[in-house]
Amino acid sequence: MNNRYAGLSKEQLDEHRMEIENRIRNLFWTISGDYSQQVDPDVDAFTRSKYIALYDAIKQGAFAKYYDSEQLGLYIMKKLYLLAEEKPLMELAQLCIDAAVYPILKNERLGIDEIRRHAFTDFLADSRNKRPDNLFGQVRNTIMNRYLGTPDPTDNETIQHVVQDILSLEGAENTDVIIAKIEEIYNWFFDPAFEQKHGDLHAVLSVTPEAVAEDVRRDCLTDEQMAKILEKYLQNLRRRMTRLEIDDSSKPRFISRRPDTDLPVEEHAVDEHAVQKVHDFVDLNYGKSYLSPLEWEHRNYSLCRGIHKNCTLHYTEGILHNPVMKNNQYRFHQMQYEKNKMYYYANHRIVKKNIAVLADTLKKALIMRNDDCVIRSVSGELVASRLWKLGRTTDPKLFNKVLRSENTEFVVDIMLDSSGSQSRRQSQVAVQGYIISEALSLVGIPHRVTGYSTFWGHTILQRYRDYDEGKERNLRIFEFRAAANNRDGLAIKAIHDDLLQRSEDNKILIILSDGRPNDCGVHRPGVKPIQEYDGEEAVKDTAFEVRKARANGISVLGIFSGAPSDLSAEKLIYGKDFAYIRNISNFSKIVGTYLRRQLDED
């Protein structure tokens, strides 16, 4: 990126320093609207990339205008006092601030997108930032790549979940919401032992200035010096938490406590408390299970084997219907439900037309299948008009025989890939599932709709509607929300097992996915590790489960909605029975063709 200040010597840079500082300050003051605020421009960063420096100033100004930077700075200072690690905490705070202020800036300021795009491009172009080895560095790069429309550098389950959590701060009402999210992500994903050692958010915020001052006092001669050092440190925190780059070379903080003595813990030792805590967290974020403890244990014992050893199946109606509490995740699901419905209303005519076409196709196929078939035969009911053939021809078929229709009962299972890779098309996937469900309801074919994803070794199976429920339950499909990873083979295995219990002779399984089974098997402390599930091995396992279902008489259709680069994996998994949906307008035609073929088969 062209930058006329790049490569200047120290003497040359000093000549332009005031010009650069004034440019950054003016940008900050214009955005914040508060010319009384002190700004510390980063001239060195400007010489490396003017867009990064300008975007940092824009974020800092916007955060100062819409949120309370001092409140956030005090929280970080108290968190650090309780021995939180500074670099990851600052990186996380920066990402959360960006997620909160960018949507506001985009709506109010023209040109922000261009500056942000250049800033992210320049940042990722730096070789030091291409392959970060820390969690939040990878999260940051994933967010940037998503924004730029380039492929995500990782499909790691934890990283994708953190990304979703951070991006959920769009429209954050106040600084308290941002602080709560930083606390939640840091404790769960970076330092799970922090809360146990030092307490929850309330404990962090309860740290008094006097307690922090005691650690500063030994470095100060007077109270006035102490106050100045604290203020300077807090000001530095507020400045750094809005920047893309967190400088590793910064001086160690002086605020600290003596760490408590911890007992060594074996890395793979199973801790029942830790296991229960993971289960509780899954319940909290996905809704409680609708299975009894005995049934839950039986299903997990019989299905979670081989490559899925130590995995867990979590059957739920969803957080909106069986919540532990109405937390942020509950509200995020509500928001996505409303977005999906808005997408449906915006495309109402196309959706209704698709439903009508698909339902009509199914009705015609069922009518033809249910009609008795009359054929010419050597036995049955004599047809008088054919008697002239006696002694004149060798045709013995003088009778009509009625073939009664058989095997007319059908049952359908619809699976919706709810992994994070579907996040950009959540509403489209929800509408596609709704179209199929509505059409099947209109013709009276029993069916079930299930969303599947995987988080911390738990494959979540969210039931939107059950086989014999009424048409009104189809609206629950709009509760579809994409997050985390996906262990397709295990999900198909579980649904396949349920289908075999149905009495209908004809069973159909429809899977809407992006053809990218992936679960990196992030290991939680104190919990049995699971095998990573990605690449060729994951594709082969998913393909095996599809072929196993077909061998058991289940017709399987894969509906592909991913990137063209993943088509090869989709073909390996589903063979010839897969449909590539590029546009919702022809959705019913493609799906209807396949379903009619299944209904027409003898």
Side-chain angles (χ1 to χ4, degrees):
M1 192 59 59
N2 293 330
N3 186 348
R4 67 188 183 94
Y5 300 105
L8 295 180
S9 66
K10 186 178 184 302
E11 292 74 21
Q12 292 172 323
L13 180 60
D14 287 338
E15 292 177 9
H16 296 280
R17 184 173 296 275
M18 184 173 292
E19 176 187 350
I20 297 171
E21 288 182 351
N22 285 338
R23 185 173 179 182
I24 295 174
R25 283 196 184 97
N26 287 333
L27 186 58
F28 169 87
W29 285 330
T30 299
I31 298 294
S32 68
D34 185 357
Y35 289 81
S36 66
Q37 291 213 36
Q38 296 296 315
V39 188
D40 183 17
D42 190 346
V43 176
D44 292 333
F46 191 91
T47 60
R48 293 194 300 274
S49 168
K50 67 176 181 180
Y51 290 109
I52 290 178
L54 293 177
Y55 187 57
D56 284 344
I58 290 169
K59 279 187 302 179
Q60 191 178 356
F63 192 75
K65 180 178 181 179
Y66 298 107
Y67 300 98
D68 189 338
S69 58
E70 184 169 353
Q71 181 187 355
L72 181 57
L74 283 169
Y75 156 75
I76 292 176
M77 187 168 69
K78 293 176 179 181
K79 186 83 171 175
L80 294 175
Y81 168 77
L82 293 175
L83 300 179
E85 290 193 33
E86 185 169 1
K87 186 174 187 292
L89 183 63
M90 295 299 289
E91 285 178 330
L92 175 58
Q94 188 277 322
L95 293 171
C96 289
I97 288 170
D98 184 55
V101 302
Y102 166 67
I104 302 173
L105 285 167
K106 183 180 179 181
N107 291 331
E108 294 191 1
R109 298 278 175 177
L110 295 176
I112 292 299
D113 271 316
E114 182 180 0
I115 295 174
R116 191 179 197 236
R117 186 170 61 254
H118 284 310
F120 285 6
T121 301
D122 286 359
F123 184 91
L124 292 173
D126 190 331
S127 60
R128 295 172 300 174
N129 302 316
K130 285 183 178 178
R131 294 186 178 275
D133 57 359
N134 60 323
L135 173 65
F136 296 122
Q138 294 179 63
V139 169
R140 176 196 59 219
N141 284 15
T142 298
I143 291 174
M144 289 183 177
N145 277 293
R146 279 194 188 184
Y147 177 76
L148 295 173
T150 52
D152 287 352
T154 178
D155 283 325
N156 181 287
E157 171 192 279
T158 299
I159 291 170
Q160 296 296 338
H161 192 85
V162 175
V163 167
Q164 289 301 115
D165 261 9
I166 290 172
L167 295 181
S168 70
L169 282 170
E170 177 181 346
E173 294 177 1
N174 51 47
T175 314
D176 290 329
V177 175
I178 298 174
I179 290 173
K181 180 58 67 177
I182 294 172
E183 180 76 5
E184 175 189 341
I185 294 174
Y186 183 92
N187 289 357
W188 272 105
F189 294 95
F190 186 80
D191 187 0
F194 185 93
E195 188 172 328
Q196 185 178 357
K197 291 178 181 177
H198 309 294
D200 58 9
L201 178 58
H202 178 73
V204 175
L205 298 178
S206 296
V207 173
T208 63
E210 289 76 20
V212 178
E214 282 302 315
D215 288 276
V216 182
R217 192 180 299 278
R218 65 178 180 269
D219 298 315
C220 306
L221 298 177
T222 66
D223 288 344
E224 183 180 359
Q225 285 179 318
M226 180 183 70
K228 285 182 178 179
I229 290 176
L230 277 174
E231 175 56 33
K232 186 175 182 179
Y233 180 70
L234 183 57
Q235 182 180 347
N236 182 52
L237 284 180
R238 294 200 300 267
R239 175 176 55 84
R240 292 180 64 220
M241 69 192 184
T242 56
R243 290 190 172 169
L244 285 180
E245 297 180 276
I246 304 300
D247 188 5
D248 283 319
S249 63
S250 58
K251 293 181 180 179
R253 67 177 187 272
F254 55 82
I255 299 176
S256 63
R257 290 177 62 216
R258 290 188 180 90
D260 300 324
T261 303
D262 297 320
L263 296 175
V265 179
E266 209 174 310
E267 185 180 355
H268 294 299
V270 176
D271 180 351
E272 291 302 326
H273 176 71
V275 172
Q276 186 59 49
K277 195 170 183 180
V278 170
H279 290 326
D280 291 344
F281 188 71
V282 171
D283 282 349
L284 183 67
N285 288 277
Y286 292 94
K288 292 181 284 189
S289 175
Y290 57 75
L291 297 181
S292 67
L294 187 62
E295 189 178 4
W296 176 85
E297 187 174 347
H298 170 72
R299 291 199 185 191
N300 279 285
Y301 177 78
S302 61
L303 297 171
C304 297
R305 295 174 175 272
I307 195 173
H308 307 298
K309 183 181 179 182
N310 296 334
C311 292
T312 303
L313 287 162
H314 184 72
Y315 296 80
T316 178
E317 293 277 337
I319 193 173
L320 296 182
H321 299 283
N322 203 0
V324 175
M325 61 182 293
K326 294 185 178 180
N327 58 359
N328 282 339
Q329 287 297 328
Y330 181 92
R331 288 187 285 274
F332 297 149
H333 275 79
Q334 278 187 319
M335 289 169 59
Q336 188 59 49
Y337 174 59
E338 295 301 327
K339 286 181 181 179
N340 293 342
K341 286 200 299 182
M342 287 174 63
Y343 179 85
Y344 163 69
Y345 292 132
N347 297 275
H348 184 75
R349 292 184 178 180
I350 297 175
V351 174
K352 285 293 184 182
K353 183 178 179 181
N354 270 269
I355 293 169
V357 170
L358 182 54
D360 186 58
T361 300
L362 297 177
K363 281 178 185 177
K364 289 178 180 176
L366 286 173
I367 289 171
M368 291 180 64
R369 187 177 181 89
N370 290 333
D371 284 345
D372 292 338
C373 180
V374 180
I375 64 170
R376 295 172 62 202
S377 178
V378 295
S379 63
E381 183 180 349
L382 180 65
V383 180
S385 62
R386 296 179 193 155
L387 289 175
W388 66 270
K389 295 184 179 182
L390 286 172
R392 293 186 177 90
T393 71
T394 57
D395 184 5
K397 297 180 179 179
L398 306 178
F399 302 85
N400 278 348
K401 187 175 183 178
V402 179
L403 295 180
R404 302 295 179 187
S405 59
E406 296 178 355
N407 298 335
T408 57
E409 292 188 341
F410 285 83
V411 64
V412 178
D413 249 297
I414 303 164
M415 296 177 64
L416 308 179
D417 177 359
S418 308
S419 62
S421 56
Q422 297 276 50
S423 59
R424 291 186 179 180
R425 44 185 175 269
Q426 293 178 88
S427 298
Q428 292 92 323
V429 173
V431 164
Q432 288 172 355
Y434 179 74
I435 289 171
I436 301 175
S437 185
E438 279 285 284
L440 292 171
S441 295
L442 288 172
V443 297
I445 296 179
H447 62 284
R448 179 177 61 174
V449 183
T450 306
Y452 69 95
S453 62
T454 301
F455 175 73
W456 282 1
H458 287 62
T459 290
I460 316 296
L461 297 173
Q462 181 173 346
R463 185 175 65 189
Y464 299 110
R465 60 155 290 143
D466 211 350
Y467 295 110
D468 301 306
E469 290 181 317
K471 186 172 175 286
E472 67 279 356
R473 279 293 292 261
N474 296 341
L475 290 173
R476 282 199 181 184
I477 298 172
F478 293 123
E479 295 170 14
F480 176 86
R481 183 169 182 253
N485 284 6
N486 53 317
R487 195 170 274 257
D488 292 45
L490 180 56
I492 294 171
K493 188 178 183 180
I495 298 299
H496 168 199
D497 189 65
D498 286 345
L499 260 179
L500 290 180
Q501 310 307 315
R502 296 287 299 185
S503 61
E504 291 84 357
D505 294 310
N506 302 280
K507 301 174 174 67
I508 300 174
L509 175 58
I510 301 173
I511 305 167
L512 284 77
S513 75
D514 64 358
R516 296 175 62 191
N518 182 280
D519 177 25
C520 291
V522 174
H523 176 249
R524 302 298 303 167
V527 178
K528 289 182 181 179
I530 62 174
Q531 186 173 337
E532 287 192 7
Y533 189 79
D534 61 357
E536 184 180 352
E537 193 170 14
V539 170
K540 284 183 177 179
D541 177 71
T542 306
F544 171 77
E545 293 300 336
V546 168
R547 282 152 181 74
K548 186 177 176 182
R550 287 172 177 162
N552 284 329
I554 299 173
S555 301
V556 183
L557 169 66
I559 297 179
F560 179 68
S561 57
S565 58
D566 294 318
L567 266 173
S568 57
E570 185 82 357
K571 292 177 182 177
L572 285 173
I573 294 171
Y574 297 103
K576 62 182 179 62
D577 287 329
F578 84 95
Y580 186 12
I581 307 296
R582 293 180 175 86
N583 192 315
I584 193 174
S585 61
N586 64 350
F587 181 81
S588 60
K589 183 179 178 181
I590 295 173
V591 176
T593 300
Y594 174 84
L595 289 177
R596 180 160 188 169
R597 189 165 72 241
Q598 304 308 311
L599 296 176
D600 287 345
E601 286 182 358
D602 263 330

